[in-house]
Amino acid sequence: MLGGVAIIGVGMAPVTSGSGKSLTDLFVEGATQAIEDAGVDRVDSMYVGNMMSGFLQNQEHLGALMATALGNEGVPSYKVEGACGSGGVAANAGVKGILSGLEGVVLVGAVEKMSGYTTPEVTSGLMMAEDKSRVGPTGVTFVGLNAMIAREYMYRYEVPHEDIAAFPALCHENALDNPKALFHKRIAVEDVLKSPLVADPLRLLDCSGICDGAAALVLTSMENARKFTDTPVEIAVSAVATDRVTLYQRPDITTFEASKKASAEAYQRAGVKPQDVDVLEVHDAFSVLGIMALEDLGFASKGSGAGLVKEGACARGGRLPTNTFGGLKARGHPVGATGVYQVLEVVQQLRGDAGETQVPGARIGMAQNIGGSGATIITHILKAP
Amino acid sequence: MLGGVAIIGVGMAPVTSGSGKSLTDLFVEGATQAIEDAGVDRVDSMYVGNMMSGFLQNQEHLGALMATALGNEGVPSYKVEGACGSGGVAANAGVKGILSGLEGVVLVGAVEKMSGYTTPEVTSGLMMAEDKSRVGPTGVTFVGLNAMIAREYMYRYEVPHEDIAAFPALCHENALDNPKALFHKRIAVEDVLKSPLVADPLRLLDCSGICDGAAALVLTSMENARKFTDTPVEIAVSAVATDRVTLYQRPDITTFEASKKASAEAYQRAGVKPQDVDVLEVHDAFSVLGIMALEDLGFASKGSGAGLVKEGACARGGRLPTNTFGGLKARGHPVGATGVYQVLEVVQQLRGDAGETQVPGARIGMAQNIGGSGATIITHILKAP
C-alpha cells in the first residue's frame, strides 16, 4: 500500500436546471477543468459516478462514453454507482486505483442530468435507491421515505420543524457567495415553514431540487503529487459503509448506522477527532438529514444537532463551518454527482481557493455523501497541503 | 502494491431463462456458493457487476441491496458497470480493492436478469451500450451493429458464413457437458445457416440468447490465500481498455483495438505469450466476435480465426481449448454477469474442478469480456495453483 492519495486537480460544471446540456456536455466541462487544473497531459484510468442514466437517459456504458468524449479512449474507464452516493463511491474506487499501485494518475468524474424530465419520471428514478420489489408497490416516494424519517425524528427528540428548517436557511445563505450554485436566494426559517407541503412534514424548502451537474477530481499518489502542484490535498481516508436498504429493516430510522460506521473508520484511520474538523460537507438532500448528519458524525448528541445550527456554529464564521458552498439544498443535488462536488469544495477550502466562501485557515475537512435512505454512506477526510 | 491476487472461492446460479428468479435471488445463489467455497466467515467489501437493472428492473443501489440480501450490510459495496463487460470490470475493481491493501477478502458478484421482458425492451436495454444520442435515432439495434461488423468482416477477409458458424457449433458441443449451461443441444453449421435471419448476415444461432444469471468470486491476496485453500488460482493480470464507443468513429470495425490493447498489457504483465494459454474464454455474444477475438488476442492472423475452429484447435482436445463450458452462445450471456462466469470457468479448469469439461493439465487461462461493440474490453490472465 502506498502512503496516501492526493487530489491535484478539481473541476465542475455549475449546478443548473434546464440548461439543455447533455450528460456528456456536463461531464466534459467538469473533467476538462480538472485535468487543466492538475496540469497533467494524460490520465491512466477513469471512474465515472452516476446514478440514473440507465433510467432517465436510457444510456449506460458511461465509462467508455466519457473516455471517448474526452479524447481518452483507450484508458480503463467504468461507471460506479451507489444511488445518490455514486459520486462518493466513484471517488472511493479512484482512491483504490491509486493505492493499488497500478494507476499513476486517475480521473474521478461524476455526472447527473435530472432536468428535462417530468417530476414523476425523476421521482420514479430516485426510488431506484430503495428495494423496489419490497417498497415500490406501496406507492411511497423517495421524499415520502425521508418524511417518515423527519416525522419520527421530530417526535422522538421533540425537535420542532422550525429548528430543522434552520439548516436550509444556512445553506441558502452560504450559496449566495458560490457562483456555481443552483440557488442564489436568501431564505428564512419562516419561508421554509410556509413553503408548499411535499410529503408531511417536509415542505418544498426542506428538499433539494431537480438539477444537473458534473464534477471531477484528478488523483495521484502523495509521492507523485509534488511533481504537479505545490498544493496537493491529501485524501487521508475514503471510507464506505452500507446498511439495510429498507427503513423497516432497521431498529431506528432516526440515526444512520452507516454514517456512524463510515465516520468512525475515517476518524480512526486519519487520526482525527470531530473537534479537529475545520470544514464539513454533509448530505442534506432533505433538511432533517443535515441535522442527523451533525449527530451521527459525532458533532452533537442525538436530538441536539439543530441546536448547533441555531447557535451559529455551522455558519462560515462558526466553529464548525458546514456546507460552505450551499450544500445539497442550495449548491444543488445532481444526485450521482453530489459526492464529487462535496470533495471538490473541501479541496477548495483546504487550498485556500474558496473565494467568498473561504473559511480562513481550514486544515482538515470532511465530506459525507449518502446513497438511498442511509444505506450507502461515504466519508472522506481530507488534509490541507 | 501487494504481490498478487488469488481467487479462493467461486459460485454461480445456473444460466436460465424464465425461471422467475429475481435479481436478488440470483445474486444470493451465486454469492452464497462462492463464500462457502472459499470457507470465509466474512468479506471486507463487495463489488456488484450489472448492466441493465436501472432500465429493466428500475432498480439501482445494487451494492447495498445485495449486501443486505447476503446479511453483509455494513461492508462497503457498490455497483460497477461497463455494459456487457460489467462482470469483467467488477472483477477489475475487486482486484484493485485487494491490491490497495485496504481489503483483505473481497466478494465480486455479477448479476443480470433479462428474461420476463419483451424482446423490444431487452433490445432497447442493450442499446444503452451504444452512444444513444448519436446512434439511437437511426433505429439500428445492438444485433444490427454486430451485423455490420459481421458483414464487413466477411467481405474484407473473404470468410464465408459457414466458417464463422463453426464457432456457435463448437460452443453448443461444449455446453453439452456443462449442467449449468442455458442450452444443451448439439447444433451443426448447417443449423446456424438455416436458422431465422435476425439482422443480415446474423441468424438466430449466431446470437446469444436472452437469459438470467449470476456468478461470484471471492478474492484475497496471494499472501493470505493459503490460509483458506490449497488451490488458490492467481489473477496474474486484470487489464481493461476502452475504445471509441461508436463504430463509425473507428478506422476499422473488423478488429477491436481495445482487445489488442488489453491483451497486450495482460501478456506483458503476466509474462505470458499466446502459445502459453491452455484454456481460453472469449466473448462470443455473436459468432463473428468469437472469431475476431481469436485474432485480436494473438492466436490467429486477421481473417484466419475461423480456420482455428474448423481445424479443431479450439475443441477441448485441441491445442487452444476455447469456451469449454459453452461460451456466451450456449452457456449463456446474462450480459452484466458474463465476465464473472468466464473467470469462474477458467478457475474451475485451473483447479481441475471442471468435471466433464475438464482440459487436462491446464495451467494458464485467459478470459476476454467485452462491453458494447468493443468499446470496453477486459482481459484476465489466471494461473493455476
Side-chain angles (χ1 to χ4, degrees), chain A residues 169-342:
Chain A
L170 166 76
C171 288
H172 274 255
E173 185 69 27
N174 285 342
L176 292 173
D177 293 321
N178 174 8
K180 304 288 182 76
L182 177 63
F183 295 120
H184 297 103
K185 185 182 179 188
R186 182 171 283 123
I187 63 171
V189 165
E190 299 71 42
D191 296 321
V192 179
L193 302 180
K194 285 187 301 190
S195 64
L197 201 57
V198 179
D200 195 17
L202 295 177
R203 291 177 178 271
L204 187 64
L205 294 178
D206 287 297
C207 306
S208 51
I210 292 171
C211 58
D212 311 331
L217 314 170
V218 176
L219 312 183
T220 190
S221 65
M222 285 300 286
E223 289 83 343
N224 282 336
R226 295 279 172 184
K227 290 186 218 163
F228 299 106
T229 177
D230 294 329
T231 56
V233 170
E234 183 182 3
I235 300 181
V237 182
S238 172
V240 181
T242 56
D243 195 1
R244 287 149 287 199
V245 170
T246 300
L247 294 183
Y248 66 64
Q249 294 174 313
R250 300 184 200 162
D252 180 359
I253 64 170
T254 66
T255 189
F256 286 158
E257 286 300 322
S259 183
K260 294 202 267 189
K261 187 166 193 296
S263 60
E265 178 188 340
Y267 287 130
Q268 190 268 324
R269 284 175 46 208
V272 163
K273 293 186 169 55
Q275 57 267 34
D276 300 327
V277 174
D278 299 315
V279 60
L280 176 66
E281 292 292 323
V282 298
H283 191 99
D284 61 313
F286 303 97
S287 53
V288 67
L289 300 188
I291 303 296
M292 284 169 57
L294 294 172
E295 302 164 358
D296 293 336
L297 295 172
F299 301 106
S301 59
K302 285 311 293 181
S304 70
L308 272 187
V309 184
K310 285 177 68 185
E311 78 187 40
C314 295
R316 284 209 296 269
R319 70 177 191 277
L320 183 65
T322 300
N323 289 12
T324 58
F325 286 76
L328 281 62
K329 177 65 194 79
R331 173 245 290 127
H333 181 30
V335 294
T338 289
V340 175
Y341 276 98
Q342 294 176 310

Side-chain angles (χ1 to χ4, degrees), chain A:
Chain A
M1 182 162 61
L2 294 168
V5 174
I7 299 174
I8 57 169
V10 298
M12 65 181 139
V15 181
T16 53
S17 185
S19 73
K21 289 177 190 170
S22 70
L23 276 178
T24 304
D25 296 337
L26 292 160
F27 186 91
V28 169
E29 186 174 348
T32 303
Q33 281 179 30
I35 290 169
E36 286 176 7
D37 184 41
V40 296
D41 52 12
R42 44 176 279 286
V43 299
D44 296 320
S45 74
M46 294 173 49
Y47 299 88
V48 178
N50 169 268
M51 175 183 179
M52 300 216 274
S53 74
F55 184 83
L56 287 180
Q57 285 83 36
N58 299 345
Q59 178 71 65
E60 290 292 359
H61 211 180
L62 297 191
L65 198 68
M66 298 308 165
T68 301
L70 280 177
N72 275 347
E73 66 274 0
V75 303
S77 180
Y78 41 82
K79 172 171 164 175
V80 179
E81 186 275 333
C84 312
S86 296
V89 292
N92 183 263
V95 165
K96 291 177 196 161
I98 296 293
L99 292 178
S100 74
L102 296 173
E103 296 165 358
V105 178
V106 166
L107 177 70
V108 173
V111 61
E112 201 78 70
K113 176 177 171 60
M114 303 157 72
S115 78
Y117 302 92
T118 66
T119 302
E121 284 170 334
V122 175
T123 302
S124 294
L126 291 170
M127 269 300 279
M128 296 195 297
E130 243 293 357
D131 184 339
K132 288 286 284 287
S133 65
R134 290 169 186 258
V135 178
T138 69
V140 69
T141 64
F142 194 69
V143 186
L145 293 169
N146 285 276
M148 292 181 200
I149 292 171
R151 176 62 71 200
E152 178 67 9
Y153 180 90
M154 291 163 64
Y155 173 79
R156 174 149 348 161
Y157 299 109
E158 298 179 343
V159 176
H161 194 175
E162 53 262 40
D163 285 11
I164 292 172
F167 205 93
L170 166 76
C171 288
H172 274 255
E173 185 69 27
N174 285 342
L176 292 173
D177 293 321
N178 174 8
K180 304 288 182 76
L182 177 63
F183 295 120
H184 297 103
K185 185 182 179 188
R186 182 171 283 123
I187 63 171
V189 165
E190 299 71 42
D191 296 321
V192 179
L193 302 180
K194 285 187 301 190
S195 64
L197 201 57
V198 179
D200 195 17
L202 295 177
R203 291 177 178 271
L204 187 64
L205 294 178
D206 287 297
C207 306
S208 51
I210 292 171
C211 58
D212 311 331
L217 314 170
V218 176
L219 312 183
T220 190
S221 65
M222 285 300 286
E223 289 83 343
N224 282 336
R226 295 279 172 184
K227 290 186 218 163
F228 299 106
T229 177
D230 294 329
T231 56
V233 170
E234 183 182 3
I235 300 181
V237 182
S238 172
V240 181
T242 56
D243 195 1
R244 287 149 287 199
V245 170
T246 300
L247 294 183
Y248 66 64
Q249 294 174 313
R250 300 184 200 162
D252 180 359
I253 64 170
T254 66
T255 189
F256 286 158
E257 286 300 322
S259 183
K260 294 202 267 189
K261 187 166 193 296
S263 60
E265 178 188 340
Y267 287 130
Q268 190 268 324
R269 284 175 46 208
V272 163
K273 293 186 169 55
Q275 57 267 34
D276 300 327
V277 174
D278 299 315
V279 60
L280 176 66
E281 292 292 323
V282 298
H283 191 99
D284 61 313
F286 303 97
S287 53
V288 67
L289 300 188
I291 303 296
M292 284 169 57
L294 294 172
E295 302 164 358
D296 293 336
L297 295 172
F299 301 106
S301 59
K302 285 311 293 181
S304 70
L308 272 187
V309 184
K310 285 177 68 185
E311 78 187 40
C314 295
R316 284 209 296 269
R319 70 177 191 277
L320 183 65
T322 300
N323 289 12
T324 58
F325 286 76
L328 281 62
K329 177 65 194 79
R331 173 245 290 127
H333 181 30
V335 294
T338 289
V340 175
Y341 276 98
Q342 294 176 310
V343 171
L344 174 157
E345 290 164 355
V346 173
V347 168
Q348 293 190 322
Q349 289 288 359
L350 299 185
R351 279 183 181 178
D353 282 347
E356 296 295 315
T357 73
Q358 185 66 48
V359 173
R363 304 284 305 158
I364 293 177
M366 173 182 271
Q368 178 222 45
N369 183 205
I370 301 182
S373 305
T376 298
I377 301 194
I378 307 95
T379 301
H380 285 92
I381 291 183
L382 280 67
K383 295 184 178 178

Side-chain angles (χ1 to χ4, degrees), chain B residues 21-102:
Chain B
K21 290 177 189 171
S22 70
L23 276 178
T24 305
D25 295 338
L26 291 160
F27 187 91
V28 169
E29 185 173 349
T32 303
Q33 281 180 29
I35 290 168
E36 286 176 9
D37 184 41
V40 297
D41 53 11
R42 45 176 277 287
V43 299
D44 296 319
S45 75
M46 293 172 51
Y47 299 88
V48 179
N50 170 266
M51 175 183 179
M52 300 216 277
S53 74
F55 184 83
L56 287 180
Q57 286 82 37
N58 299 346
Q59 178 72 66
E60 290 291 359
H61 211 180
L62 297 192
L65 197 69
M66 298 309 165
T68 302
L70 279 178
N72 275 348
E73 65 274 359
V75 304
S77 180
Y78 41 82
K79 172 171 164 175
V80 179
E81 185 274 334
C84 311
S86 295
V89 291
N92 183 262
V95 165
K96 291 177 195 162
I98 295 294
L99 292 178
S100 75
L102 297 172

Side-chain angles (χ1 to χ4, degrees), chain B residues 311-355:
Chain B
E311 78 187 40
C314 295
R316 285 209 297 268
R319 69 177 191 275
L320 182 65
T322 300
N323 289 11
T324 58
F325 286 76
L328 280 64
K329 177 65 195 78
R331 172 244 292 127
H333 181 29
V335 292
T338 289
V340 176
Y341 276 97
Q342 293 176 309
V343 171
L344 174 157
E345 290 164 354
V346 173
V347 168
Q348 293 190 323
Q349 289 287 2
L350 299 185
R351 280 182 181 178
D353 282 349

